[in-house]
Amino acid sequence: MVKLIDILDFAWSGMRDRKLRTALTILGIVIGSSLIVALISSTQGLSTGITERVSRMGVTTISVFSVNPTLRLTDEDVMRIERVEGVKTVIPFYRVFAKVSCGEKTLDQIQVLGIDPEKLFELLNGLELESGKTPSSLDQARAIIGYTVANPPDLDTKFADLNHVINIEVNVFRRGRILKITHPFLVSGVLKQYGATMLGDIDNTVFITPLAAKSMVKRTHYSGLFIIAESLDDVDPIVKSLTDMYGRKVRVISPSTILQNVQQILYQQTVFLGSIAAISLIVAGVGIMNTAYVSVMERTREIGILKAIGFKKRTIMILFLSESVLTGLIGGVIGVAFGCILALSMGNILPRFRPPAPKRMVGGHVQLPVQISPELLIFTVLFTVAIAVLAGVYPAWKASKLDPVAALKHE
Amino acid sequence: MNNFSSAEDYIVKTLDLWKVYGRGRLAFSALKGVNLKVKRGEMVAVVGPSGSGKSTLLNLLGALDHPTKGKVFIDNIDIFRLGDNALTELRNRKIGFVFQSFNLIQRVSALKNVEIPLMMRNISREKRRRLAVAMLKAVGLDGKFNHKPTELSGGEQQRVALARALVVRPSILLGDEITGNLDSKTSMEIMELIRRFNKTLKTTVILVTHNMQIAKQTDRIVYLRDGMVEREEILNRKV
Ligand SMILES: Nc1ncnc2c1ncn2[C@@H]1O[C@H](COP(=O)(O)OP(=O)(O)OP(=O)(O)O)[C@@H](O)[C@H]1O
Ligand SMILES: [Mg+2]
C-alpha cells in the first residue's frame, strides 16, 4: 500500500502544477466556509448576548408595562399584585430621560430611574457599588450614578463623583405646555460597570428614589413594575393572573417568554443564514468536482503510465481523491480562520450601523458579543472536507476506471 | 553463460492468442492465434509491418489489455485468470514497460519518476531514494536527478524511462518502438544499455520494432504479419 506521505506529496505536486486553478478552487471553498463561521458565530453571539441580558434580571423576574394610556399602574396595583400567590416582591419604577448636568458639564438623554435603591440590588444580580452607599428609600435628595455617567467615554475627566451635586432636568407636560423642571441631587454612590439589561444600559443611568421621581415628574402612575416570584414554578401562574387582571392593557414579559422568543427567532435566523452559507459551500464543492474532473482529463496519459507501472485502481482513486480532499481541507482551514476574522469585525462594525435605540423602549444600545465556538470551527472544516470527498469521488473513480491502453495513447 | 534447467523453462508463453477489436461487421482481428515462447533471459525482437499487431501483442504480454481468446503464461501463471488487483501487482513486480514516447510524468523530477514504481513497496523513503539514484547512475544519468523531463534530451528521457522500468528488477522488460523517437547514435546507446541489463540482471527483453538494425542486436527475431507469427529467425542460441 502506498504511504500517506507519498499520496499527499503526489497530490500536492499535482495541485502545484496548476496553481491558478487550485487557488481559485480553494478560494470558492474559503468563501463558503468563512460565511458559515461568520454568519453562525454572529447569530450565536446575538443569542448569547440577549440571553445574558435577560438572565441578569434573574429568571424569576417578571416585568409589567402599561401599553394602554387608560391603564395607569399605581400603588393600588402594586398592592393588588403583591397579594397574588407566589409573588415575593413588587418593585415599581419611574423612568424618564433627562438632561443631567454637573457644574459646567452636561449629559443629554440620560435614563433616570426612580426605583427603590435597596430593591435595585435585589433585582440586578451582581450589581455593586464602586464607592459610596445606597440612599434610604425615602431620601429625595440623593442619587446613585452608573459607571458611564460618572466616567463618560467622550470626556477627559470624570463627569461627576461621590458627593458632587448633579442637576436633573426633565420635561413635564402641564396643561398642554412643556415645563422644564430641574432638581439637584447629591451623588451618594457610584456603581461598578454592569452592562445592559431589561432596564436599559445600567451604566448610563441615574438612580433616584421613587419618591423623588414622583415629586419631580408630578405623576402618580409608574412606568412599570418588576415582580419577583418566590420560585421559577410560580412564574407562569403569576403571568397568567396578570393577564387575567389586566388583559391586553399590559405587556408582561418573563425571562422564559423572552428567551423562548429570542431563541426561536435566532434559531430560524441561524438555519436561514447557515443554509445560505452551506449552499455557497456546495457550489464551491461543484467547483472542486469540476477541477478534479478537468484534472483527470488532462492527466489521462499519466493515469495510463501509473497503470502500466502497476498502480491499483484503488490507489489511483485515492491519489486523485486526495487532491480534492486536500483542496477542501486547505480551503476549510483558511476559510474558518478568515470566518473568525469576519465574525469579529462584524461584531465591531454592525452595531454602528444600527439605528440609535428608541428612547422609550426597554433595552439599550450595546455592542453584542460574537461567539465563536470551537465545535462550529471543527464542524465547518469537517463539513468542507465531506463536501470535497463527495465532489472528488466521481472524478477519482473515473480516473481509476480508465483503460490503460487507451490512456497511454491519449495526447 | 545462461543456463536453462529445462526446455520448458519459458518465462513468457502464449497459447492461441486472439485479439478482436470491435464487434459484428466492424470486428477486426489484430491477433489471430499467436503462439510465442520466450526463454528466461532471452532477448527477442518482434518485427512486422505497421498494423501487424505488434503493439497489441505487447500490451497483452504486459497485461495492459485482455485477449479475446487464448492465454498468456508468465512464470507458468495463467495471468488472465488472476483478479484485477493480482494482475496489477504482477505488472508491478514482474514487468517493466518502456514506450516510444518515453511517457514520463512531466511535473516531477527524473528521480521522482524512477521512485514511483517503488511507492508500492514497503520500503523506507531513504531506501527508495537510494535504489532510484543507483538505477539512474546505472543508465548513465549521474548529475541530472533533479531535472524535469522537459529539461532532458530525448535520449536522456528514455534513459530515465528505462531506469523507471528496471528499478523494481522486473523479470521482463517490454519495449514498444523505444528508439522510434531517437537518432541512430542514441538508439545504439540505449540498445547497449539494454543488452547490458539483459546480461547482468538476467532481464528477459521483448522489443517491438520496425528497425532491423535494432532487431539484429537481439537473440531472436519474431516476424509478425496480419496478426500471425510468419517466421522466426534465431541469431544467438543461448543454451
Ligand atoms: N483500440 C482499437 N480499436 C480498433 N482497432 C484497433 C485498436 N487498436 C489497434 N487496432 C488495430 O489493430 C491493428 C494492430 O494494431 P497495432 O497497434 O498492434 O499495430 P502495430 O503492429 O503496433 O503497428 P505500428 O507499427 O504502426 O505501431 C491495426 O490495424 C489497428 O488499426
Ligand atoms: Mg505499434
Side-chain angles (χ1 to χ4, degrees), chain A residues 405 409, chain B residues 21-22 28-30 48-57 176-177 208 210 224:
Chain A
V405 176
K409 279 186 189 160
Chain B
Y21 291 112
F28 177 81
S29 300
S50 185
S52 54
K54 305 184 294 293
S55 298
T56 304
L57 176 62
D176 193 347
E177 221 70 80
V208 158
H210 276 121
L224 213 62

Side-chain angles (χ1 to χ4, degrees), chain B residues 95-141:
Chain B
I95 295 165
F97 270 105
V98 186
F99 304 90
Q100 176 173 3
S101 49
F102 321 135
N103 276 337
L104 298 175
I105 294 177
Q106 300 295 322
R107 69 191 140 82
V108 299
S109 67
L111 186 60
K112 262 265 140 66
N113 264 288
V114 179
E115 280 187 45
I116 287 173
L118 294 169
M119 269 165 65
M120 272 147 301
R121 303 295 163 85
N122 196 13
I123 54 176
S124 70
R125 281 161 76 86
E126 291 72 37
K127 179 161 186 213
R128 191 168 80 195
R129 178 134 304 190
R130 254 188 290 122
L131 290 173
V133 165
M135 198 64 231
L136 276 172
K137 283 183 177 161
V139 298
L141 261 188

Side-chain angles (χ1 to χ4, degrees), chain A residues 44-215:
Chain A
Q44 269 182 358
L46 207 61
S47 165
T48 321
I50 294 174
T51 307
E52 207 173 271
R53 276 199 212 194
V54 169
S55 40
R56 269 184 164 157
M57 298 285 263
V59 284
T60 53
T61 306
I62 304 160
S63 15
V64 180
F65 300 92
S66 164
V67 289
N68 187 321
T70 62
L71 176 71
R72 309 195 143 183
L73 296 167
T74 61
D75 284 327
E76 259 177 58
D77 298 290
V78 173
M79 284 187 290
R80 244 175 104 190
I81 295 170
E82 270 172 344
R83 285 197 298 270
V84 171
E85 168 108 21
V87 171
K88 191 166 131 202
T89 329
V90 178
I91 308 167
F93 65 90
Y94 292 95
R95 186 225 288 266
V96 287
F97 286 84
K99 188 195 255 180
V100 179
S101 53
C102 178
E104 300 288 287
K105 290 162 284 189
T106 310
L107 294 174
D108 275 317
Q109 287 298 336
I110 296 294
Q111 171 174 255
V112 176
L113 283 177
I115 189 166
D116 187 328
E118 261 135 38
K119 291 187 174 162
L120 177 66
F121 292 90
E122 197 179 332
L123 192 62
L124 299 176
N125 299 320
L127 181 67
E128 278 176 58
L129 278 171
E130 188 175 68
S131 58
K133 58 182 199 300
T134 325
S136 90
S137 50
L138 297 175
D139 198 317
Q140 293 203 40
R142 285 187 170 79
I144 302 176
I145 60 176
Y147 184 84
T148 317
V149 175
N151 311 284
D154 45 348
L155 278 188
D156 298 337
T157 57
K158 284 198 162 209
F159 170 75
D161 210 346
L162 208 57
N163 297 327
H164 288 186
V165 173
I166 55 172
N167 287 303
I168 299 179
E169 179 191 306
V170 293
N171 294 332
V172 175
F173 291 91
R174 259 297 147 82
R175 293 187 205 100
R177 284 191 303 147
I178 298 173
L179 299 178
K180 288 191 189 306
I181 297 181
T182 307
H183 278 230
F185 290 87
L186 183 72
V187 176
S188 78
V190 179
L191 292 170
K192 283 190 182 165
Q193 225 163 356
Y194 190 72
T197 67
M198 290 279 302
L199 266 175
D201 185 0
I202 294 303
D203 299 334
N204 212 13
T205 303
V206 173
F207 296 91
I208 56 177
T209 60
L211 247 102
K214 189 176 174 181
S215 76

